[in-house]
Amino acid sequence: MKKINKYNLDKENKVTDENFFNNRRKIMASALAFPFLINSNAHSSSQKKLSFNKDLDYSTNEKTNTIKQITSYNNFYELGTGKRDPMLNASRLKSDDWNLTIDGLVENPLTLDSEDLIKKFQLEERIYRLRCVEAWSMVVPWIGFELRSLINLAKPFHNAKYVSFESILDSENLPGQKRDILNWPYREGLRMDEAINPLTMIAVGLYGKVLPNQNGSPVRLIVPWKYGFKSIKSIVKISFVEEIPVCTWNEQAPNEYGFYSNVNPYVDHPRWSQKRERRIGEFGKRDTLLFNGYSKFVSNLYTGMDLEKEF
Ligand SMILES: Nc1nc2c(c(=O)[nH]1)N[C@H]1C(S)=C(S)[C@@H](COP(=O)(O)O)O[C@H]1N2
Ligand SMILES: [Mo]
C-alpha cells in the first residue's frame, strides 16, 4: 500500500518551489520582450480582448505552447474524437446567449450570462501546465478567476460536500452528441476542498482573448493538478451536492478513471504508463511530476489517503 509520504514530497516541493520562485521575474520579462505573445493574431480578430492582471504566485515560468498548438490539438468529444476535430468543427458550438446556472445546496442560487462572467470578477492570467491522461502536456496562459470567488457568491450550505459540473447538451448541433460515444452531457465533479483551493480556476479566455470554441467557450474549469479530462469545457451548470457526483470518464470506465484523477506518475493507467509525458511541440519525453508539479499547493488535500486506491 503506497501512502502519499512515500512519494518523497519534500523533494517534489523543493523542485516546484524553485520553479515558482524563478517564475516571478521571468513572466514580467517575457511579457515585455515578446508583446506579440499577448496579441497573437492566431485568434480571429473578431474575438473579444480581455483585460486582466498577470498572476505571479501560481504561474509557471515554462515556455507557453503557441496559440496554434493550443487551438489545433484538443480533446472535446462533443466536437469529435480526433485531435483536430474540435478545431475543424468549432463553429458547431453555439456559445452566444450563454447562461451558467449555479444551483443545489446554496443560499444564493444564480445565473450568469457571458457578460457577467467577464465583468463580475477580476480576471487574471494564470500560466498552468495541463497534463492529459493520454500522456501529453501543454502550457497554457489561461485567463479567468478562482472558482472560490464564485463559490463565495453562491454561499453553499454546510451539507454541500461536492461540486458537480455539467457541459452543454445540444445534439442538434454538436456532431459528437449525435453518437453515443459518451453518456451526454459531459459531467465532472470535485470535492469541496478541491473546489475552493486557490489553484482551481474558472477560465473565460486564453492568450488575451475570450476562449476559442475548441477550448471550451465561453466558460470552463481548470484544475491543473488533475488529468485534463477533469477540466470540463463549455459549462452550463454548477451544482452543490451532498453525494459524490457522476463524472463522465469515471462512469464510462471506472477501473481506468477514478473520481480524483490526480496526476500521479506512481499510479499507471491500466493500459499505459503515467511516468512520462510528451510536451506538445517537443521531441522526446519529460518526467511526469506528482500532482503535475503542484504538490506544494495541493498535497495537503490528500493526507492519509491511499492514492493507489483513491486514484
Ligand atoms: N465537455 C468536455 N470537456 C472536456 C473534454 C470533453 O471531451 N468534453 N475533454 C477533456 C480532456 S480529455 C482534456 S485533455 C481537456 C483538453 O483541453 P484543451 O483542448 O483546451 O487543451 O479538456 C477536457 N474537457
Ligand atoms: Mo485528456
Side-chain angles (χ1 to χ4, degrees):
M1 188 167 106
K2 222 181 255 176
K3 281 261 166 67
I4 192 168
N5 54 5
K6 290 207 188 134
Y7 297 145
N8 197 355
L9 283 177
D10 285 349
K11 197 170 151 219
E12 298 266 351
N13 286 351
K14 187 150 173 277
V15 172
T16 45
D17 278 348
E18 282 162 11
N19 283 346
F20 279 96
F21 178 77
N22 289 333
N23 286 349
R24 294 164 195 254
R25 262 160 257 169
K26 283 186 187 161
I27 286 172
M28 300 305 285
S30 64
L32 292 173
F34 307 107
F36 58 86
L37 283 179
I38 297 165
N39 293 314
S40 166
N41 61 6
H43 275 52
S44 79
S45 52
S46 62
Q47 271 186 296
K48 197 182 163 90
K49 279 189 190 164
L50 298 171
S51 43
F52 55 90
N53 296 325
K54 279 173 175 285
D55 158 74
L56 301 179
D57 296 327
Y58 304 105
S59 291
T60 172
N61 65 334
E62 288 168 89
K63 186 166 158 268
T64 48
N65 280 91
T66 63
I67 183 74
K68 198 167 174 198
Q69 289 165 334
I70 293 167
T71 56
S72 62
Y73 190 92
N74 301 96
N75 272 337
F76 197 176
Y77 276 23
E78 287 86 338
L79 296 176
T81 53
K83 293 286 179 276
R84 289 169 61 80
D85 291 346
M87 172 186 65
L88 298 172
N89 297 323
S91 65
R92 308 286 293 274
L93 174 72
K94 305 299 171 200
S95 54
D96 321 327
D97 303 320
W98 199 270
N99 281 313
L100 168 63
T101 302
I102 292 114
D103 67 8
L105 303 169
V106 290
E107 207 177 301
N108 184 25
L110 66 154
T111 298
L112 302 172
D113 64 22
S114 304
E115 197 65 10
D116 297 330
L117 287 163
I118 292 171
K119 292 269 161 66
K120 224 178 170 67
F121 305 91
Q122 174 59 58
L123 301 182
E124 63 176 21
E125 181 189 71
R126 293 248 181 119
I127 303 173
Y128 279 163
R129 289 178 289 276
L130 180 140
R131 179 23 170 106
C132 180
V133 74
E134 296 165 304
W136 52 265
S137 64
M138 284 197 206
V139 176
V140 184
W142 301 111
I143 295 169
F145 51 88
E146 291 175 3
L147 174 60
R148 63 177 175 172
S149 324
L150 190 57
I151 294 178
N152 288 339
L153 207 62
K155 296 194 172 71
F157 299 129
H158 284 298
N159 58 342
K161 298 276 188 321
Y162 295 91
V163 187
S164 126
F165 303 84
E166 206 174 288
S167 290
I168 182 178
L169 183 64
D170 180 10
S171 47
E172 292 273 288
N173 291 302
L174 295 167
Q177 290 186 346
K178 294 191 195 302
R179 300 186 288 148
D180 57 1
I181 33 179
L182 291 174
N183 187 9
W184 306 112
Y186 195 100
R187 293 190 185 93
E188 259 308 334
L190 295 173
R191 212 170 59 189
M192 187 59 88
D193 59 345
E194 299 177 317
I196 62 172
N197 185 281
L199 278 184
T200 306
M201 190 180 178
I202 291 288
V204 296
L206 61 82
Y207 265 123
K209 295 186 177 176
V210 294
L211 285 172
N213 281 0
Q214 57 266 49
N215 295 92
S217 171
V219 56
R220 71 174 296 179
L221 183 70
I222 301 292
V223 197
W225 73 95
K226 293 177 181 281
Y227 290 118
F229 64 86
K230 297 292 287 185
S231 292
I232 181 172
K233 296 178 171 179
S234 303
I235 304 169
V236 294
K237 197 160 84 152
I238 299 179
S239 306
F240 293 84
V241 295
E242 189 153 13
E243 305 295 332
I244 192 164
V246 172
C247 300
T248 293
W249 283 104
N250 178 241
E251 178 187 45
Q252 184 77 11
N255 58 321
E256 299 188 11
Y257 310 103
F259 171 74
Y260 288 97
S261 292
N262 293 315
V263 173
N264 191 337
Y266 308 104
V267 177
D268 288 335
H269 183 279
R271 292 183 282 133
W272 61 83
S273 168
Q274 294 291 8
K275 287 189 176 57
R276 302 184 39 87
E277 67 197 53
R278 186 174 66 87
R279 179 66 49 85
I280 299 302
E282 288 182 359
F283 299 103
K285 290 191 173 175
R286 323 172 152 235
D287 288 339
T288 286
L289 301 174
L290 181 61
F291 299 122
N292 202 21
Y294 297 98
S295 292
K296 177 185 161 186
F297 304 109
V298 299
S299 62
N300 63 310
L301 297 171
Y302 309 104
T303 310
M305 281 174 59
D306 179 351
L307 298 184
E308 240 164 60
K309 289 209 179 96
E310 302 193 81
F311 61 97

